[in-house]
Amino acid sequence: MKIKHILSIIGISGVLLTGTSCNKYLNFTPENSTYDQVFWKDGANVNRATLGAYALLRDALRNERSYFIFGDIAAGTLLTGGDYWNYKDISKNGGYKFSYAPYLEGSVWNWTRFYKIINQCNLIIEHTGEMDADLFDDGESEKNHYIASAKFLRAYTYFYMQRVWGDVLLVKETFKDPQDIPDMGRSPEKETLSLCKEDLAFAIGNLESSSIKSFASKGAANALLAQIYAWEHDYVNTEKYIAETLKGGYSLEDIKDYRKIWQGDSKESIFELNMLYNSTGDEWSKDFFSPFLTSANVPGKGAASSWEIDPEFLATEFETPEARLDSITAPFPNSAKQKVIRKYDRVEFYSTNLSNYAVDNNLVLMRLADIILLRAEAYYKNGKEGLALQDLNSIRERAGLPAAQFAGNELFKEIFRERRREFLGEGITQFDLIRMNMFKEFDEYSAYYSQERIDNQGYYWPLNMRDLLPQNEMLTQNAWWKNH
């Protein structure tokens, strides 16, 4: 039983189970026990709660464009225009100083919005598990599908948080009163990822293969599990679950159709968040994607409000002409030397006022090219350089580049470089940098990441202790940011 695809009828953010937020450090909302006794008696309500969990994830990633800040700005591949003066210190131009982020503190130093997702998933897992299978149209299989979807989203959320801030507060059950949440310390990464793997094992066993990429599926769960094993440098299991992922029938888009990837439900996409424009829904966004637009897309939009691709990155990583670069970039209207990313530039004007527009693209979180290059990484680490090179060249050739010949550490570095090229502006590169430990391999990182910073995990973001510590006396700051 697939989750009912009603996004085109109603906005999924309008069917949240969680209501308003509270001030407690995990940002949970109290349950209403009387209402719960009614709500969790109908399978359709579980569907609504599940749609709400997807909406919470979408909103958490879009918050102040934090998805792109964490994955791209922090990796130095994008430069922000003058209107984004408060992004300077956290970017390459400011030396990746994550401890100075004025007016962004609530999005880059505070993880509470992600705990709303966790709590929503915990509610679904606990209450749905207690419901009789007869309450669902398709019985036990549909019931387990909803639990599996919630476990997939919980695993995705925890894994995302772990890669952004390091060790998290591991919450496995709902709290009845958000004003009475006990203080708790941060859990070791191994414990958090162990829960993620348990959740995904259940998801794999109870989700179906799905052509609707904006919902959890067996393929997405396998892909996420492969990513977690790669993060742990368990490349044997990485290979294993990539093989399972590929059973989902995904295929690379031809370079002539490359930009279809971000238009929704492409044959290459594995998991994405729906943000397509619809006049009756509210999944679409204007502000989230707006830095990738110029006056060529929106008349009157100034260059200072746009993000350009770092010129040094362009010069070193795209020195060879290729069809991929031509497909996904465009020059600034007033400066041919500056380039902007075009992955998110489908603009829909919904009134005669040209300031009223929506960006009609989805946010692709996992796609086949990612899995192929992750397999190249795993092959390399497992001593299969020939296979690693084959995977690397399959992506290069799709991009319009000639097959390359690399071996040893140069092959591993080239896999990272190809990932930077392929996933430019997709919120991925900083996590690749951490997982593959490339800080000393490239001057644009080694100049700012001392060995001491690396040893103290200064690639993770600091926490806003001013807001969080008074509410949780056991919370600790990330080591590097205690004195920086």
Short mmCIF file of all heavy atoms in Angstrom, two decimals, residues 120-163:
data_model
loop_
_atom_site.label_atom_id
_atom_site.label_comp_id
_atom_site.label_asym_id
_atom_site.label_seq_id
_atom_site.Cartn_x
_atom_site.Cartn_y
_atom_site.Cartn_z
N GLN A 120 7.37 13.51 15.42
CA GLN A 120 6.27 13.10 14.55
C GLN A 120 6.43 11.63 14.15
O GLN A 120 5.47 10.85 14.17
CB GLN A 120 6.25 13.99 13.30
CG GLN A 120 5.12 13.71 12.34
CD GLN A 120 3.85 14.47 12.67
OE1 GLN A 120 3.70 14.99 13.77
NE2 GLN A 120 2.94 14.55 11.72
N CYS A 121 7.66 11.25 13.78
CA CYS A 121 7.91 9.87 13.40
C CYS A 121 7.71 8.93 14.57
O CYS A 121 7.13 7.83 14.42
CB CYS A 121 9.33 9.73 12.85
SG CYS A 121 9.60 10.56 11.27
N ASN A 122 8.16 9.33 15.76
CA ASN A 122 7.96 8.49 16.94
C ASN A 122 6.49 8.29 17.24
O ASN A 122 6.05 7.19 17.61
CB ASN A 122 8.66 9.11 18.15
CG ASN A 122 10.17 8.97 18.10
OD1 ASN A 122 10.71 8.16 17.36
ND2 ASN A 122 10.87 9.78 18.88
N LEU A 123 5.70 9.36 17.06
CA LEU A 123 4.25 9.25 17.27
C LEU A 123 3.65 8.22 16.31
O LEU A 123 2.85 7.37 16.71
CB LEU A 123 3.58 10.60 17.06
CG LEU A 123 3.71 11.65 18.17
CD1 LEU A 123 3.30 13.02 17.64
CD2 LEU A 123 2.85 11.26 19.36
N ILE A 124 4.03 8.31 15.05
CA ILE A 124 3.49 7.38 14.05
C ILE A 124 3.91 5.95 14.36
O ILE A 124 3.09 5.03 14.31
CB ILE A 124 3.96 7.80 12.64
CG1 ILE A 124 3.38 9.17 12.27
CG2 ILE A 124 3.55 6.75 11.60
CD1 ILE A 124 4.03 9.79 11.04
N ILE A 125 5.17 5.75 14.67
CA ILE A 125 5.68 4.41 14.96
C ILE A 125 4.97 3.79 16.15
O ILE A 125 4.51 2.65 16.11
CB ILE A 125 7.21 4.45 15.19
CG1 ILE A 125 7.93 4.83 13.89
CG2 ILE A 125 7.71 3.11 15.70
CD1 ILE A 125 9.37 5.25 14.09
N GLU A 126 4.84 4.55 17.23
CA GLU A 126 4.24 4.02 18.46
C GLU A 126 2.75 3.78 18.30
O GLU A 126 2.25 2.68 18.60
CB GLU A 126 4.50 5.00 19.62
CG GLU A 126 5.97 5.09 20.03
CD GLU A 126 6.21 6.16 21.07
OE1 GLU A 126 5.22 6.62 21.70
OE2 GLU A 126 7.37 6.54 21.26
N HIS A 127 2.03 4.79 17.83
CA HIS A 127 0.57 4.68 17.79
C HIS A 127 0.08 3.75 16.69
O HIS A 127 -0.87 2.99 16.89
CB HIS A 127 -0.07 6.06 17.64
CG HIS A 127 0.03 6.92 18.87
ND1 HIS A 127 -0.61 6.59 20.05
CD2 HIS A 127 0.69 8.07 19.11
CE1 HIS A 127 -0.36 7.51 20.97
NE2 HIS A 127 0.44 8.42 20.41
N THR A 128 0.73 3.80 15.54
CA THR A 128 0.32 2.92 14.46
C THR A 128 0.57 1.46 14.84
O THR A 128 -0.23 0.58 14.51
CB THR A 128 1.06 3.27 13.16
OG1 THR A 128 0.86 4.65 12.87
CG2 THR A 128 0.56 2.43 11.99
N GLY A 129 1.68 1.23 15.56
CA GLY A 129 1.97 -0.13 16.00
C GLY A 129 0.91 -0.69 16.92
O GLY A 129 0.70 -1.91 16.98
N GLU A 130 0.21 0.19 17.65
CA GLU A 130 -0.83 -0.23 18.58
C GLU A 130 -2.19 -0.41 17.91
O GLU A 130 -3.11 -0.96 18.51
CB GLU A 130 -0.95 0.80 19.71
CG GLU A 130 0.31 0.92 20.57
CD GLU A 130 0.27 2.13 21.47
OE1 GLU A 130 -0.66 2.97 21.32
OE2 GLU A 130 1.17 2.27 22.33
N MET A 131 -2.33 0.06 16.68
CA MET A 131 -3.62 0.02 15.99
C MET A 131 -3.89 -1.36 15.41
O MET A 131 -2.97 -2.08 15.01
CB MET A 131 -3.66 1.08 14.89
CG MET A 131 -3.61 2.52 15.40
SD MET A 131 -3.44 3.76 14.08
CE MET A 131 -5.00 3.56 13.21
N ASP A 132 -5.16 -1.72 15.35
CA ASP A 132 -5.56 -2.99 14.73
C ASP A 132 -5.41 -2.89 13.23
O ASP A 132 -5.74 -1.86 12.62
CB ASP A 132 -7.02 -3.29 15.10
CG ASP A 132 -7.40 -4.73 14.77
OD1 ASP A 132 -7.50 -5.04 13.57
OD2 ASP A 132 -7.59 -5.52 15.70
N ALA A 133 -4.92 -3.94 12.62
CA ALA A 133 -4.71 -3.95 11.16
C ALA A 133 -6.01 -3.74 10.39
O ALA A 133 -5.99 -3.25 9.25
CB ALA A 133 -4.07 -5.27 10.75
N ASP A 134 -7.15 -4.06 10.99
CA ASP A 134 -8.44 -3.90 10.31
C ASP A 134 -8.78 -2.43 10.07
O ASP A 134 -9.69 -2.13 9.28
CB ASP A 134 -9.56 -4.54 11.14
CG ASP A 134 -9.45 -6.06 11.17
OD1 ASP A 134 -8.74 -6.62 10.30
OD2 ASP A 134 -10.06 -6.68 12.06
N LEU A 135 -8.07 -1.52 10.72
CA LEU A 135 -8.32 -0.09 10.54
C LEU A 135 -7.71 0.45 9.24
O LEU A 135 -7.93 1.61 8.90
CB LEU A 135 -7.78 0.70 11.73
CG LEU A 135 -8.44 0.39 13.09
CD1 LEU A 135 -7.68 1.08 14.21
CD2 LEU A 135 -9.90 0.85 13.07
N PHE A 136 -6.98 -0.40 8.53
CA PHE A 136 -6.33 0.00 7.30
C PHE A 136 -6.94 -0.75 6.12
O PHE A 136 -7.25 -1.94 6.23
CB PHE A 136 -4.82 -0.27 7.38
CG PHE A 136 -4.14 0.47 8.49
CD1 PHE A 136 -4.05 -0.10 9.77
CD2 PHE A 136 -3.60 1.72 8.29
CE1 PHE A 136 -3.42 0.58 10.81
CE2 PHE A 136 -2.98 2.41 9.31
CZ PHE A 136 -2.89 1.83 10.58
N ASP A 137 -7.08 -0.06 5.00
CA ASP A 137 -7.70 -0.67 3.82
C ASP A 137 -7.00 -1.95 3.40
O ASP A 137 -7.65 -2.93 3.03
CB ASP A 137 -7.69 0.32 2.65
CG ASP A 137 -8.61 1.50 2.89
OD1 ASP A 137 -9.49 1.41 3.78
OD2 ASP A 137 -8.44 2.53 2.20
N ASP A 138 -5.67 -1.94 3.45
CA ASP A 138 -4.90 -3.10 3.02
C ASP A 138 -4.32 -3.88 4.20
O ASP A 138 -3.34 -4.61 4.05
CB ASP A 138 -3.76 -2.68 2.09
CG ASP A 138 -4.30 -2.23 0.73
OD1 ASP A 138 -5.48 -2.49 0.45
OD2 ASP A 138 -3.54 -1.63 -0.04
N GLY A 139 -4.93 -3.70 5.36
CA GLY A 139 -4.57 -4.51 6.51
C GLY A 139 -3.15 -4.33 7.01
O GLY A 139 -2.61 -3.23 7.02
N GLU A 140 -2.54 -5.45 7.39
CA GLU A 140 -1.23 -5.43 8.03
C GLU A 140 -0.15 -4.83 7.14
O GLU A 140 0.74 -4.13 7.63
CB GLU A 140 -0.83 -6.87 8.42
CG GLU A 140 0.35 -6.96 9.37
CD GLU A 140 -0.02 -6.55 10.79
OE1 GLU A 140 -1.22 -6.61 11.14
OE2 GLU A 140 0.90 -6.20 11.55
N SER A 141 -0.21 -5.07 5.84
CA SER A 141 0.83 -4.55 4.95
C SER A 141 0.81 -3.02 4.91
O SER A 141 1.86 -2.37 4.91
CB SER A 141 0.68 -5.13 3.54
OG SER A 141 -0.55 -4.72 2.97
N GLU A 142 -0.40 -2.44 4.91
CA GLU A 142 -0.49 -0.98 4.90
C GLU A 142 -0.05 -0.41 6.24
O GLU A 142 0.67 0.61 6.29
CB GLU A 142 -1.92 -0.53 4.59
CG GLU A 142 -2.05 0.98 4.50
CD GLU A 142 -3.45 1.43 4.14
OE1 GLU A 142 -4.30 0.56 3.84
OE2 GLU A 142 -3.70 2.64 4.17
N LYS A 143 -0.44 -1.04 7.30
CA LYS A 143 -0.02 -0.60 8.64
C LYS A 143 1.51 -0.58 8.73
O LYS A 143 2.10 0.41 9.17
CB LYS A 143 -0.61 -1.55 9.69
CG LYS A 143 -0.08 -1.34 11.11
CD LYS A 143 -0.69 -2.36 12.07
CE LYS A 143 -0.02 -2.30 13.43
NZ LYS A 143 -0.64 -3.25 14.39
N ASN A 144 2.14 -1.66 8.30
CA ASN A 144 3.60 -1.73 8.37
C ASN A 144 4.27 -0.76 7.41
O ASN A 144 5.38 -0.29 7.67
CB ASN A 144 4.07 -3.16 8.09
CG ASN A 144 3.79 -4.10 9.24
OD1 ASN A 144 3.67 -3.69 10.39
ND2 ASN A 144 3.67 -5.39 8.94
N HIS A 145 3.58 -0.45 6.31
CA HIS A 145 4.12 0.52 5.35
C HIS A 145 4.25 1.90 6.02
O HIS A 145 5.28 2.58 5.84
CB HIS A 145 3.21 0.62 4.14
CG HIS A 145 3.70 1.57 3.09
ND1 HIS A 145 4.40 1.16 1.99
CD2 HIS A 145 3.62 2.93 3.00
CE1 HIS A 145 4.72 2.22 1.25
NE2 HIS A 145 4.25 3.30 1.85
N TYR A 146 3.23 2.30 6.78
CA TYR A 146 3.30 3.60 7.45
C TYR A 146 4.40 3.62 8.51
O TYR A 146 5.12 4.61 8.66
CB TYR A 146 1.95 3.94 8.07
CG TYR A 146 0.90 4.36 7.06
CD1 TYR A 146 -0.31 3.70 6.96
CD2 TYR A 146 1.14 5.42 6.19
CE1 TYR A 146 -1.28 4.07 6.03
CE2 TYR A 146 0.20 5.80 5.26
CZ TYR A 146 -1.00 5.13 5.19
OH TYR A 146 -1.94 5.51 4.25
N ILE A 147 4.52 2.54 9.25
CA ILE A 147 5.59 2.46 10.25
C ILE A 147 6.95 2.52 9.55
O ILE A 147 7.87 3.22 10.01
CB ILE A 147 5.46 1.18 11.09
CG1 ILE A 147 4.16 1.19 11.89
CG2 ILE A 147 6.66 1.01 12.03
CD1 ILE A 147 3.85 -0.12 12.60
N ALA A 148 7.08 1.80 8.44
CA ALA A 148 8.33 1.80 7.69
C ALA A 148 8.67 3.19 7.14
O ALA A 148 9.83 3.60 7.16
CB ALA A 148 8.25 0.79 6.55
N SER A 149 7.66 3.91 6.66
CA SER A 149 7.89 5.26 6.16
C SER A 149 8.40 6.17 7.26
O SER A 149 9.32 6.96 7.06
CB SER A 149 6.60 5.83 5.56
OG SER A 149 6.19 5.09 4.43
N ALA A 150 7.79 6.06 8.45
CA ALA A 150 8.21 6.87 9.58
C ALA A 150 9.63 6.51 10.01
O ALA A 150 10.43 7.38 10.37
CB ALA A 150 7.24 6.70 10.75
N LYS A 151 9.96 5.23 9.98
CA LYS A 151 11.31 4.82 10.36
C LYS A 151 12.34 5.29 9.33
O LYS A 151 13.45 5.67 9.69
CB LYS A 151 11.37 3.30 10.54
CG LYS A 151 10.63 2.82 11.79
CD LYS A 151 10.98 1.39 12.16
CE LYS A 151 10.37 1.04 13.51
NZ LYS A 151 10.89 -0.23 14.05
N PHE A 152 11.97 5.27 8.06
CA PHE A 152 12.86 5.81 7.03
C PHE A 152 13.13 7.29 7.28
O PHE A 152 14.28 7.74 7.25
CB PHE A 152 12.26 5.61 5.64
CG PHE A 152 13.01 6.34 4.56
CD1 PHE A 152 14.14 5.79 3.98
CD2 PHE A 152 12.57 7.60 4.14
CE1 PHE A 152 14.83 6.48 2.98
CE2 PHE A 152 13.27 8.29 3.15
CZ PHE A 152 14.40 7.73 2.57
N LEU A 153 12.07 8.06 7.53
CA LEU A 153 12.23 9.50 7.75
C LEU A 153 13.01 9.77 9.02
O LEU A 153 13.81 10.71 9.08
CB LEU A 153 10.86 10.18 7.79
CG LEU A 153 10.11 10.22 6.45
CD1 LEU A 153 8.69 10.73 6.65
CD2 LEU A 153 10.86 11.08 5.43
N ARG A 154 12.79 8.97 10.06
CA ARG A 154 13.56 9.15 11.30
C ARG A 154 15.04 8.87 11.04
O ARG A 154 15.91 9.63 11.51
CB ARG A 154 13.02 8.24 12.40
CG ARG A 154 13.73 8.42 13.73
CD ARG A 154 13.02 7.71 14.86
NE ARG A 154 13.12 6.24 14.77
CZ ARG A 154 12.66 5.40 15.70
NH1 ARG A 154 12.03 5.89 16.78
NH2 ARG A 154 12.78 4.10 15.55
N ALA A 155 15.34 7.81 10.30
CA ALA A 155 16.73 7.48 9.99
C ALA A 155 17.37 8.59 9.14
O ALA A 155 18.51 8.98 9.39
CB ALA A 155 16.80 6.14 9.26
N TYR A 156 16.64 9.07 8.13
CA TYR A 156 17.18 10.14 7.29
C TYR A 156 17.50 11.36 8.15
O TYR A 156 18.57 11.98 8.01
CB TYR A 156 16.21 10.52 6.18
CG TYR A 156 16.79 11.59 5.27
CD1 TYR A 156 17.50 11.23 4.14
CD2 TYR A 156 16.67 12.93 5.59
CE1 TYR A 156 18.08 12.20 3.31
CE2 TYR A 156 17.25 13.91 4.78
CZ TYR A 156 17.94 13.54 3.65
OH TYR A 156 18.52 14.51 2.86
N THR A 157 16.58 11.73 9.04
CA THR A 157 16.75 12.92 9.86
C THR A 157 17.93 12.79 10.80
O THR A 157 18.76 13.71 10.91
CB THR A 157 15.46 13.20 10.65
OG1 THR A 157 14.37 13.35 9.73
CG2 THR A 157 15.59 14.47 11.48
N TYR A 158 18.04 11.68 11.50
CA TYR A 158 19.16 11.50 12.42
C TYR A 158 20.50 11.48 11.68
O TYR A 158 21.49 12.06 12.15
CB TYR A 158 18.99 10.22 13.24
CG TYR A 158 18.24 10.43 14.53
CD1 TYR A 158 17.23 9.55 14.92
CD2 TYR A 158 18.54 11.49 15.38
CE1 TYR A 158 16.53 9.73 16.11
CE2 TYR A 158 17.86 11.68 16.57
CZ TYR A 158 16.86 10.80 16.94
OH TYR A 158 16.18 10.99 18.12
N PHE A 159 20.54 10.80 10.55
CA PHE A 159 21.78 10.74 9.78
C PHE A 159 22.16 12.13 9.28
O PHE A 159 23.34 12.51 9.31
CB PHE A 159 21.64 9.76 8.62
CG PHE A 159 22.90 9.57 7.81
CD1 PHE A 159 24.13 9.36 8.43
CD2 PHE A 159 22.84 9.59 6.42
CE1 PHE A 159 25.29 9.18 7.67
CE2 PHE A 159 23.99 9.40 5.66
CZ PHE A 159 25.21 9.21 6.28
N TYR A 160 21.18 12.91 8.85
CA TYR A 160 21.46 14.26 8.39
C TYR A 160 22.01 15.11 9.54
O TYR A 160 23.03 15.79 9.40
CB TYR A 160 20.19 14.90 7.83
CG TYR A 160 20.46 16.22 7.14
CD1 TYR A 160 20.96 16.24 5.84
CD2 TYR A 160 20.25 17.43 7.79
CE1 TYR A 160 21.23 17.45 5.20
CE2 TYR A 160 20.52 18.63 7.16
CZ TYR A 160 21.01 18.63 5.87
OH TYR A 160 21.29 19.84 5.25
N MET A 161 21.36 15.05 10.68
CA MET A 161 21.82 15.81 11.85
C MET A 161 23.23 15.40 12.26
O MET A 161 24.06 16.25 12.63
CB MET A 161 20.86 15.62 13.01
CG MET A 161 19.49 16.21 12.79
SD MET A 161 18.34 15.77 14.14
CE MET A 161 19.09 16.64 15.51
N GLN A 162 23.50 14.10 12.24
CA GLN A 162 24.82 13.60 12.63
C GLN A 162 25.91 14.20 11.73
O GLN A 162 27.00 14.54 12.20
CB GLN A 162 24.84 12.07 12.54
CG GLN A 162 26.15 11.42 12.97
CD GLN A 162 26.36 11.42 14.47
OE1 GLN A 162 25.48 11.00 15.22
NE2 GLN A 162 27.50 11.89 14.92
N ARG A 163 25.63 14.35 10.45
CA ARG A 163 26.62 14.88 9.53
C ARG A 163 26.77 16.39 9.64
O ARG A 163 27.80 16.94 9.23
CB ARG A 163 26.25 14.50 8.09
CG ARG A 163 26.38 13.00 7.80
CD ARG A 163 25.97 12.67 6.38
NE ARG A 163 24.55 12.90 6.17
CZ ARG A 163 23.97 12.88 4.97
NH1 ARG A 163 24.69 12.65 3.88
NH2 ARG A 163 22.66 13.08 4.86
#
